[in-house]
Amino acid sequence: MIQKSEKGVIVATISLALIFMVALVYAMVKKEVDVVNCVPFNQQFLEAGSHKIDDKTYKVNYVASMWQFQPAQIFVPTGSEVEFFLTSKDVAHGFHISEKNINMMALYGQVTTYKTTFKTPGVYPIVCHEYCGVGHQNMVAEVIVNSPLQH
């Protein structure tokens, strides 16, 4: 037999779980928060570079290593959809673009992906948020978003 105090705990637990699920759905829909994906590792992802697919679509292989991201800069026009592929050549690294709410981990032998659209021109700094050694504070890169006529 369930006691009255136990019923209260069960109701409170279920209520908190529902509030948490509603908050997750709200974040995904209204705040454009998404979850990173993983793809099977392949040596091709260790070759850093930006690849233009068409006028508004780019794929970027980011390779993290002590204490740098490659490529250090990419340039895309406003309104471009960019799919990031991220891996590491050595230890664990972080990949964070605060203005886009992007937060990924770079691990050797794994590739994480995230797709986003850069709607506003500007410079979007990328920082490593996982301590990776004495040069960690210098591990930065940037996405530069220009109007389509600028380079």
Side-chain angles (χ1 to χ4, degrees):
M1 178 111 188
I2 298 177
Q3 294 181 358
K4 187 176 182 180
S5 62
E6 291 174 330
K7 286 181 184 178
V9 170
I10 291 170
V11 168
T13 302
I14 291 171
S15 298
L16 286 173
L18 287 173
I19 290 170
F20 179 71
M21 287 188 283
V22 168
L24 283 177
V25 170
Y26 174 79
M28 288 176 60
V29 174
K30 294 291 186 180
K31 300 295 184 181
E32 298 180 12
V33 173
D34 204 357
V35 178
V36 299
N37 298 311
C38 293
V39 297
F41 181 77
N42 184 313
Q43 290 291 21
Q44 74 178 4
F45 292 110
L46 290 174
E47 295 178 24
S50 176
H51 310 285
K52 182 177 180 179
I53 307 304
D54 59 36
D55 288 342
K56 293 284 187 173
T57 309
Y58 293 80
K59 292 189 181 226
V60 182
N61 286 358
Y62 264 105
V63 179
S65 61
M66 291 188 178
W67 290 280
Q68 63 182 338
F69 288 110
Q70 289 297 323
Q73 288 183 329
I74 64 165
F75 296 86
V76 297
T78 305
S80 294
E81 181 181 79
V82 178
E83 186 170 13
F84 297 103
F85 294 86
L86 176 67
T87 192
S88 171
K89 282 188 174 179
D90 44 41
V91 300
H93 298 281
F95 183 95
H96 183 68
I97 304 175
S98 64
E99 291 84 0
K100 295 298 289 176
N101 201 21
I102 297 172
N103 184 5
M104 300 192 305
M105 291 297 297
L107 302 169
Y108 181 78
Q110 294 184 8
V111 179
T112 55
T113 68
Y114 190 89
K115 191 183 296 185
T116 190
T117 301
F118 289 91
K119 298 175 184 174
T120 307
V123 176
Y124 294 81
I126 300 168
V127 298
C128 177
H129 61 74
E130 183 72 26
Y131 182 72
C132 55
V134 295
H136 166 74
Q137 71 279 1
N138 300 319
M139 193 166 171
V140 295
E142 56 191 9
V143 177
I144 300 170
V145 181
N146 301 345
S147 67
L149 301 176
Q150 296 176 334
H151 275 65

